[in-house]
């Protein structure tokens, strides 16, 4: 079956790339980073300072028939916890000590009135025709994904990123690849809080062409910072591995803290 590649616009004004194949239109849009006015609007709307870098115009969109699934930064940020106790979930290693010693509550760079790690359990934005239901089987066909197949389309897209006031990093990104037999989209939240923890929240959206369903799997895994650090190979130059989401993911516990598998019927 033939496919049509899509490429419209430019990196300056907004670049749309994608593929039309087997009834699907799969696109990745990359726009400029949010400007100061857009960042101010995010703070007003969400009630929290936004991450340092927000790509609010970036989207990954999957369309088939009248069904649409979209992955974007703004909807992901809407699911960041801004409740009164949200900042207490994670503190940097020295936050408690600073709080005890300080006569004032001037530890805003360490403890903030929102989830300052920007953790989100976002799994995508659906139109009213895209209805997922939890189901145990079937699962993502890992064996098929491991086969050597031509890649018809591939892209990576960053939604937001923050250095956590030099206490680590958090980044929400999307990778997608389309092969002749299937496609896989991986949205990943990668979080490293130095001396505290590593966390990865993954949303995988998978479809084998010709089948009547789409599979979506969400996992959340985390472990203590020192536990992961102790798994570093004892060779010079391996410290950058702590910034490698793939290596960290392989070093986290195999059993996730949260696992959700859902199906979307498209026929």
């Amino acid at each position: 079956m033939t496919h049509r590649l899509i490429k419209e616009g430019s990196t300056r004004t907004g670049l749309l790339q994608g593929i039309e194949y087997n009834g699907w239109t799969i696109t990745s849009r990359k726009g400029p980073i949010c400007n100061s006015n857009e960042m101010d609007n995010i703070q007003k709307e969400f009630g929290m300072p936004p991450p340092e870098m927000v790509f609010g115009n970036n989207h990954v969109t999957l369309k088939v028939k009248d069904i649409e699934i979209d992955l974007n930064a703004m909807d992901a940020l809407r699911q960041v916890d801004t409740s009164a106790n949200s900042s207490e979930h994670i503190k940097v290693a020295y936050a408690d000590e600073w709080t005890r010693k300080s006569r004032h509550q001037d530890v805003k760079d360490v403890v903030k009135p929102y989830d300052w790690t920007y953790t989100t359990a976002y799994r995508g934005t659906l139109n009213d025709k895209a209805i997922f239901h939890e189901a145990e089987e079937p699962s993502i066909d890992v064996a098929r994904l491991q086969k050597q197949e031509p890649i018809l389309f591939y892209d990576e897209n960053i939604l937001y990123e923050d250095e956590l006031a030099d206490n680590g990093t958090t980044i929400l990104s999307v990778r997608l690849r389309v092969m002749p037999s299937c496609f896989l989209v991986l949205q990943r939240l990668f979080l490293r809080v130095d001396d505290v923890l590593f966390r990865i929240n993954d949303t995988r959206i998978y479809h084998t062409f010709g089948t009547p369903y789409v599979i979506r799997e969400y996992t959340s895994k985390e472990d203590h910072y020192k536990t992961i650090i102790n798994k570093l190979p004892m060779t010079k130059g391996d410290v950058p591995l702590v910034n490698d989401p793939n290596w960290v993911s392989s070093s986290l516990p195999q059993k996730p803290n949260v696992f959700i598998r859902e199906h979307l019927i498209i026929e």
Side-chain angles (χ1 to χ4, degrees), residues 116-135:
W116 54 274
T117 69
Y118 300 103
T119 293
T120 180
Y122 177 65
R123 306 202 298 272
T125 303
L126 313 176
N127 70 355
D128 59 358
K129 300 296 184 179
I131 302 173
F132 279 92
H133 299 280
E134 287 197 37

Side-chain angles (χ1 to χ4, degrees), residues 104-261:
H104 311 285
Q105 295 302 310
D106 191 20
V107 289
K108 294 181 181 179
D109 285 339
V110 181
V111 183
K112 305 178 182 182
Y114 60 94
D115 182 355
W116 54 274
T117 69
Y118 300 103
T119 293
T120 180
Y122 177 65
R123 306 202 298 272
T125 303
L126 313 176
N127 70 355
D128 59 358
K129 300 296 184 179
I131 302 173
F132 279 92
H133 299 280
E134 287 197 37
E136 293 186 5
E137 297 295 339
S139 60
I140 291 175
D141 192 341
V142 176
R144 181 183 294 275
L145 290 171
Q146 292 174 341
K147 291 181 179 179
Q148 294 294 322
E149 272 197 279
I151 295 179
L152 304 179
F153 178 71
Y154 175 85
D155 199 25
E156 297 186 31
N157 205 325
I158 296 176
L159 301 183
Y160 63 76
E161 187 172 358
D162 194 278
E163 293 300 318
L164 307 180
D166 293 327
N167 290 297
T169 188
T170 186
I171 179 169
L172 183 68
S173 62
V174 184
R175 290 186 297 167
L176 61 153
R177 57 184 169 121
V178 181
M179 289 79 71
S181 67
C182 62
F183 70 75
L184 176 69
V185 178
L186 170 61
Q187 177 192 266
R188 169 167 285 174
L189 177 89
F190 172 69
L191 172 65
R192 188 194 82 242
V193 182
D194 292 337
D195 297 319
V196 180
L197 63 73
F198 285 90
R199 173 185 293 156
I200 288 183
N201 290 353
D202 281 343
T203 297
R204 289 177 171 84
I205 301 173
Y206 171 85
H207 174 65
T208 297
F209 295 117
T211 63
Y213 52 83
V214 177
I215 300 171
R216 180 171 67 176
E217 292 184 355
Y218 171 79
T219 59
S220 179
K221 300 192 294 183
E222 64 182 60
D223 208 341
H224 294 292
Y225 181 88
K226 290 182 179 179
T227 301
I228 302 303
I229 291 297
N230 289 336
K231 294 182 180 181
L232 283 169
M234 298 302 293
T235 57
K236 186 177 180 180
D238 284 319
V239 173
L241 285 174
V242 301
N243 294 319
D244 181 347
N246 291 328
W247 180 83
V248 172
S249 179
S250 67
S251 301
L252 287 170
Q254 287 191 340
K255 185 176 181 180
N257 301 78
V258 180
F259 176 79
I260 301 171
R261 178 181 293 141

